[in-house]
Amino acid sequence: MTDRQSRAPDTPRPVRQIPGRLLRRLVRPAPWHAAGRLLWRWAAGRTPGDGRKPTAQFLLGRMLLLPTVSLTVLTLAATAYFHLHGRTEQLRDRHSPALVELTHARVSLTLAQYEAGRRLGSRDGAPLPQTDLVGLGERYPSLLTEASQSLNNAAQTRALSRAQEQEIRVVSGLVVAYDDWINWANSHHDNDGLRRAGLEYASGLLGDGRGRPASTAVLDRIRTLEQELRTDTADLSGWSPLSATTASAAVLVSLLFLFLVVGTLDFIRGQLRVRSPLLTVHTVPVVLALVMVAFGIAGQHRAQHHVRDMAERLGRIAVPHGANTGIKNEIKNEIGTDARIEGEAERLTADLGSAHPQEWTLIVSVGLALGAAGSLACGFTLFHYGRRHLAIHWRTL
């Protein structure tokens, strides 16, 4: 016999039995499942032995808990919505007018510089022949007046901080100094050296409007203010910590409210043998109010994004200008640039109207009032169902 034949056949190894405690640990349901089951038992008034809690005790607690939870979620939702609405109003009534006025001021100053250079002959050019008779004409002082008025209007929008308002006053003072140097160059237009010196100094005060960092030129200062306002607009167009926190909490509490309603309906049907369409009807205004708030928040965000987009488009508006283009082309450019600025303001008004932030505010307010009434009605409905049980319970105390 060979060695392989002489070997005894392999005996099967005994299967190790898994202890029952270990098996229960392995097949234990997920923690969230167990937590959900406990939450459902609490919501439906069930005991660990699949029994029911005392009717009077359950209805008394739920009579107070349901209105409290529903009013809490309505308060959280209202806080989130009206905080966003306040930011939208600030963007619409303060930041967008301030940006429009600053753009007007920048464009008017740029056009005034072009007009002064055309009249007095910038660089190597000579003054226009009519300068002896009409000086700077009517267009230059008109543009400078428009710029000063726009700066004053921007300061009155209440969109600027104190430091920015101080910067506006500094810019207004520099505009006056720029005008003084232009008038000085005009009064010495027959002297090439003095005229060019005055124009160069005035041009240095005004700058080129490219927004160089730490530049003290007028147009660069205005560009910096516009950029700061655009940054503030972008910050106001997003979720704030308050609105994000209250909206998230409102979502969680609303889920708890719905869970409580379903559990309460299950308890009433199982313990009292009564279907409760009345309680269901009274919870509908609460749910509708939350839906209205959700649509209102979406509308507020859409309106805020319209203001932010307008701010970006205003920052890209500049005056097209070329050398020796002629007064007709200069006036055409001025009219076209002003039309673009006004067109952006009108477009913003139309976009805000399509977002309906004001109309939604009224709708949300009415919905919240109806939701609060429905919350209180839920409590009275539960009191109606359990008034006899509560009377017996109070007598036995």
Side-chain angles (χ1 to χ4, degrees):
M1 294 179 62
T2 61
D3 294 340
R4 180 174 298 180
Q5 292 174 346
S6 62
R7 291 179 182 175
D10 295 337
T11 58
R13 294 181 180 181
V15 180
R16 294 184 60 184
Q17 296 294 329
I18 300 177
R21 184 178 299 177
L22 179 59
L23 181 61
R24 286 193 297 270
R25 289 182 180 179
L26 292 176
V27 298
R28 180 180 295 176
W32 62 268
H33 181 72
R37 186 169 56 184
L38 290 175
L39 183 60
W40 169 247
R41 286 181 178 178
W42 171 74
R46 295 179 180 270
T47 59
D50 289 335
R52 296 282 186 176
K53 293 182 179 179
T55 304
Q57 180 182 356
F58 179 84
L59 291 179
L60 177 61
R62 204 51 55 92
M63 181 179 64
L64 300 175
L65 184 61
L66 265 184
T68 301
V69 173
S70 59
L71 290 175
T72 300
V73 69
L74 291 175
T75 302
L76 291 171
T79 302
Y81 174 81
F82 286 107
H83 181 68
L84 287 172
H85 176 66
R87 291 159 71 94
T88 303
E89 285 189 333
Q90 185 175 356
L91 288 170
R92 182 195 62 207
D93 300 335
R94 298 184 184 184
H95 283 70
S96 56
L99 284 167
V100 169
E101 295 296 343
L102 287 177
T103 306
H104 268 302
R106 173 168 53 82
V107 168
S108 297
L109 287 173
T110 304
L111 291 170
Q113 186 181 26
Y114 293 164
E115 178 66 11
R118 190 183 68 86
R119 288 276 181 175
L120 298 178
S122 57
R123 297 182 180 179
D124 298 333
L128 295 178
Q130 60 266 33
T131 304
D132 289 333
L133 298 177
V134 297
L136 295 171
E138 297 180 357
R139 188 164 172 259
Y140 166 79
S142 175
L143 290 169
L144 213 64
T145 300
E146 291 177 3
S148 299
Q149 185 63 39
S150 295
L151 290 173
N152 185 45
N153 292 340
Q156 294 179 357
T157 58
R158 297 185 299 170
L160 307 177
S161 63
R162 291 184 179 180
Q164 291 170 335
E165 290 179 358
Q166 180 64 32
E167 184 71 6
I168 288 286
R169 287 191 285 269
V170 172
V171 170
S172 299
L174 291 175
V175 169
V176 174
Y178 167 81
D179 186 39
D180 291 340
W181 279 105
I182 291 295
N183 289 324
W184 187 86
N186 178 49
S187 63
H188 297 85
H189 65 274
D190 53 349
N191 187 314
D192 289 343
L194 295 178
R195 175 177 55 81
R196 291 175 183 173
L199 286 174
E200 289 179 2
Y201 197 85
S203 178
L205 277 176
L206 201 62
D208 54 11
R210 296 179 181 177
R212 294 188 179 90
S215 175
T216 58
V218 172
L219 293 178
D220 293 333
R221 287 173 182 265
I222 294 177
R223 279 285 191 185
T224 301
L225 286 172
E226 287 182 278
Q227 182 58 44
E228 291 176 355
L229 280 180
R230 282 195 296 271
T231 301
D232 294 341
T233 300
D235 292 339
L236 289 172
S237 299
W239 286 96
S240 67
L242 177 61
S243 59
T245 302
T246 52
S248 301
V251 172
L252 296 177
V253 179
S254 62
L255 294 177
L256 175 62
F257 172 73
L258 294 176
F259 208 70
L260 286 173
V261 170
V262 175
T264 304
L265 291 173
D266 179 79
F267 181 90
I268 293 174
R269 182 178 179 182
Q271 192 75 355
L272 302 180
R273 302 296 189 268
V274 173
R275 294 181 182 272
S276 180
L278 192 59
L279 181 61
T280 305
V281 169
H282 289 158
T283 58
V284 170
V286 181
V287 177
L288 289 180
L290 295 176
V291 173
M292 292 177 186
V293 170
F295 278 103
I297 287 177
Q300 295 294 337
H301 276 294
R302 190 161 60 251
Q304 293 173 4
H305 290 165
H306 287 319
V307 179
R308 184 185 62 186
D309 295 340
M310 184 213 68
E312 296 295 334
R313 291 192 298 267
L314 284 176
R316 293 191 292 267
I317 292 180
V319 183
H321 177 72
N324 300 323
T325 57
I327 183 60
K328 292 183 178 180
N329 289 333
E330 292 291 342
I331 295 176
K332 183 178 179 181
N333 290 338
E334 176 185 350
I335 295 174
T337 306
D338 287 339
R340 287 181 62 190
I341 298 173
E342 296 301 330
E344 290 296 339
E346 293 176 359
R347 179 179 177 182
L348 175 63
T349 302
D351 290 340
L352 291 178
S354 65
H356 305 293
Q358 293 294 336
E359 290 79 358
W360 270 114
T361 301
L362 178 60
I363 294 174
V364 168
S365 301
V366 174
L368 290 172
L370 293 177
S375 301
L376 298 177
C378 288
F380 284 113
T381 301
L382 293 175
F383 176 77
H384 171 72
Y385 287 146
R387 65 181 186 275
R388 294 182 180 178
H389 299 275
L390 291 173
I392 296 174
H393 176 70
W394 288 332
R395 290 174 185 175
T396 58
L397 290 179

